[in-house]
Amino acid sequence: MNEFRVKIGEDGRVLIPIFCRRQLKLSPGEEIIIKLDNNELHLFSLKQSLRNAQKTVKHYAKNQNLVKKLRQMRQEDSSDE
């Protein structure tokens, strides 16, 4: 794990070192997610958060066609109306 020492500006801003921005492929103006966990801050790019969510879904949805299942659920819901 890499650690970097940075300062908090008077307005509360933190500068993310260029090495980190390049590794995460962050561009100026891009939104990130900040997670507070046990008094620690964790920064995630939205792309990384999406990949993590996809990995979780894939783990729990083994051998299932989720698109087909969603279509079936929508058909059932529409037939109930």
Side-chain angles (χ1 to χ4, degrees):
M1 179 169 80
N2 294 320
E3 294 183 8
F4 301 92
R5 189 172 180 166
V6 298
K7 290 184 180 182
I8 299 174
E10 289 184 26
D11 57 357
R13 294 181 186 208
V14 175
L15 178 66
I16 301 171
I18 188 74
F19 172 80
C20 297
R21 294 193 312 267
R22 285 182 179 155
Q23 187 169 341
L24 294 173
K25 298 178 181 158
L26 295 175
S27 302
E30 188 170 343
E31 291 184 24
I32 59 172
I33 296 172
I34 298 176
K35 179 180 172 184
L36 180 60
D37 185 24
N38 293 324
N39 289 324
E40 295 180 346
L41 287 178
H42 300 266
L43 304 177
F44 300 91
S45 68
L46 293 175
K47 294 172 198 169
Q48 185 60 46
S49 293
L50 178 60
R51 283 192 293 267
N52 291 344
Q54 289 171 333
K55 188 192 243 184
T56 300
V57 169
K58 189 175 183 178
H59 173 75
Y60 288 106
K62 291 179 182 172
N63 303 322
Q64 294 184 39
N65 185 335
L66 297 180
V67 173
K68 184 178 178 180
K69 195 170 191 173
L70 178 61
R71 285 183 181 153
Q72 288 173 345
M73 289 170 64
R74 286 184 175 173
Q75 285 176 348
E76 290 170 6
D77 286 345
S78 66
S79 65
D80 289 341
E81 292 177 358

